[in-house]
Amino acid sequence: SSDVCSSDLEENGYDVLVVDEAHRLKERAFTEPRGTNQTRANIRASRTAVFFVDDSQQVTWQDAGSTDSIRAIAKDFGADIQEFTLQSQFRCNGSDEYLDWLDNLLQVRENDQRRLTSKDFDFQVFDNPRELHEAIMQKNLENNRSRMVAGYCWEWVSKRDSSIYDIRMPQFKYEARWNLEDYGGTFVVDPESVSEVGCIHTCQGLELDYVGVIVGPDLWFSSGALATNPEARASTDKSLNGYKTALKSQPAEARARADRIIRNTYRTLMTRGMKGCYVYFTDAAIADYFRKHLV
């Protein structure tokens, strides 16, 4: 809560604080004029702080709750630190193989999973975004638990004029609007929202049965390797606010950080489905790359 992020909160006022999605903690609390570090505020306010953190789900420039930063701040307080790794998970139908395979292909985390062989999770690559959206709409007829999402690489023009489409690919006769205005938090439950497209800001932390993902031009192949392009993000997306400033003073560090955010964003989008993930890549070379690692 905002109270927990306040520097005026009583020290050790809570016996135990459990912080879910701790990777989204901010360097400066939005509600605190003095900008208290949210990790520091949580540790200070509690006798025991429990952080559930996944570094691969840091998806904006403001996300500061990494395992390294939490560990460093806890040491500053002289805290006893215990670290545990959750050994089982239920995301993506419990398919550890799919998660490892995706992490490896997106180069989020190195491992030995080079091929996706399991039939426990339905992964498909589409050559046409319109056909992808139609497939998701068909899946949604089962129980209203399937939705479209995309990388934020298209300007949110429908905010000013609801008659305009945001995502337009005339070569496929495909056009769609972002869901950002009409449905907001009801995106994954409103039956009409399946016609629109969500983004990382409206689906992180939520789960669907089937997710359709449009991977935009911020992820592409360069010199035979997977690469990222921060400049391909829409100006209406605030995820990389701070990148251009950091680029002037620390270019190498800024590019590496932006690279991680983009890869993490697609990793997060492509793990929203419990039963399956259908994907269209704007870069055909990436589609071939993924297909080569399917059995």
Side-chain angles (χ1 to χ4, degrees):
S1 72
S2 60
D3 289 342
V4 176
C5 298
S6 172
S7 59
D8 296 329
L9 193 67
E10 179 187 355
E11 186 171 358
N12 294 330
Y14 293 94
D15 288 331
V16 179
L17 271 179
V18 179
V19 184
D20 196 14
E21 304 278 345
H23 38 271
R24 301 302 312 277
L25 289 170
K26 306 300 185 238
E27 183 67 32
R28 296 289 179 262
F30 297 133
T31 56
E32 172 61 28
R34 288 180 293 279
T36 304
N37 176 284
Q38 290 186 324
T39 301
R40 186 173 298 277
N42 277 283
I43 293 176
R44 180 183 180 278
S46 59
R47 297 179 183 278
T48 300
V50 180
F51 297 93
F52 288 93
V53 59
D54 181 355
D55 289 345
S56 63
Q57 288 198 58
Q58 289 191 315
V59 295
T60 80
W61 201 263
Q62 290 73 38
D63 293 351
S66 67
T67 50
D68 286 344
S69 67
I70 293 171
R71 190 184 297 116
I73 293 171
K75 286 181 179 178
D76 284 347
F77 278 94
D80 293 328
I81 303 172
Q82 297 185 51
E83 299 185 35
F84 304 92
T85 300
L86 298 180
Q87 298 297 331
S88 61
Q89 58 86 28
F90 298 98
R91 181 163 291 147
C92 301
N93 205 25
S95 177
D96 291 329
E97 182 189 88
Y98 173 68
L99 294 177
D100 288 343
W101 176 78
L102 184 63
D103 284 349
N104 188 41
L105 262 62
L106 290 177
Q107 298 165 0
V108 170
R109 179 178 59 85
E110 290 186 9
N111 58 65
D112 296 325
Q113 194 64 51
R114 299 291 187 266
R115 292 284 186 273
L116 182 61
T117 62
S118 173
K119 302 302 180 184
D120 294 335
F121 188 76
D122 182 8
F123 182 87
Q124 298 182 38
V125 179
F126 283 67
D127 291 322
N128 185 315
R130 177 173 50 79
E131 293 176 358
L132 165 60
H133 204 148
E134 289 171 353
I136 290 297
M137 293 181 78
Q138 190 64 34
K139 287 292 185 184
N140 193 60
L141 294 176
E142 298 175 7
N143 60 357
N144 188 38
R145 290 286 298 166
S146 299
R147 293 293 184 277
M148 285 290 301
V149 298
Y152 206 154
C153 297
W154 291 267
E155 299 294 338
W156 184 18
V157 294
S158 64
K159 182 179 183 179
R160 299 187 303 271
D161 185 346
S162 61
S163 67
I164 300 176
Y165 289 96
D166 302 298
I167 302 173
R168 286 171 288 178
M169 300 182 194
Q171 68 273 35
F172 298 109
K173 298 181 180 178
Y174 178 71
E175 50 190 17
R177 295 185 183 91
W178 289 118
N179 75 290
L180 297 169
E181 187 75 5
D182 291 342
Y183 299 104
T186 66
F187 173 60
V188 297
V189 295
D190 193 300
E192 299 299 321
S193 68
V194 70
S195 66
E196 300 191 347
V197 179
C199 69
I200 189 65
H201 306 305
T202 52
C203 71
Q204 187 171 26
L206 304 176
E207 291 179 341
L208 302 159
D209 277 357
Y210 285 84
V211 62
V213 183
I214 297 175
V215 176
D218 56 345
L219 191 69
W220 63 307
F221 253 84
S222 175
S223 302
L226 198 65
T228 57
N229 179 18
E231 284 73 21
R233 283 287 183 92
S235 62
T236 46
D237 177 31
K238 307 304 181 185
S239 299
L240 293 179
N241 277 13
Y243 164 68
K244 291 183 178 179
T245 300
L247 195 61
K248 296 175 182 177
S249 58
Q250 297 177 306
E253 182 180 317
R255 290 191 186 97
R257 186 174 177 182
D259 180 83
R260 288 194 302 272
I261 289 171
I262 292 172
R263 293 174 193 267
N264 286 353
T265 296
Y266 285 117
R267 195 263 190 186
T268 303
L269 292 177
M270 294 169 73
T271 55
R272 295 306 91 198
M274 287 293 291
K275 296 180 179 179
C277 175
Y278 298 166
V279 189
Y280 167 74
F281 298 95
T282 56
D283 184 351
I286 303 182
D288 292 338
Y289 166 71
F290 269 74
R291 284 195 176 101
K292 286 177 182 177
H293 291 83
L294 288 170
V295 174

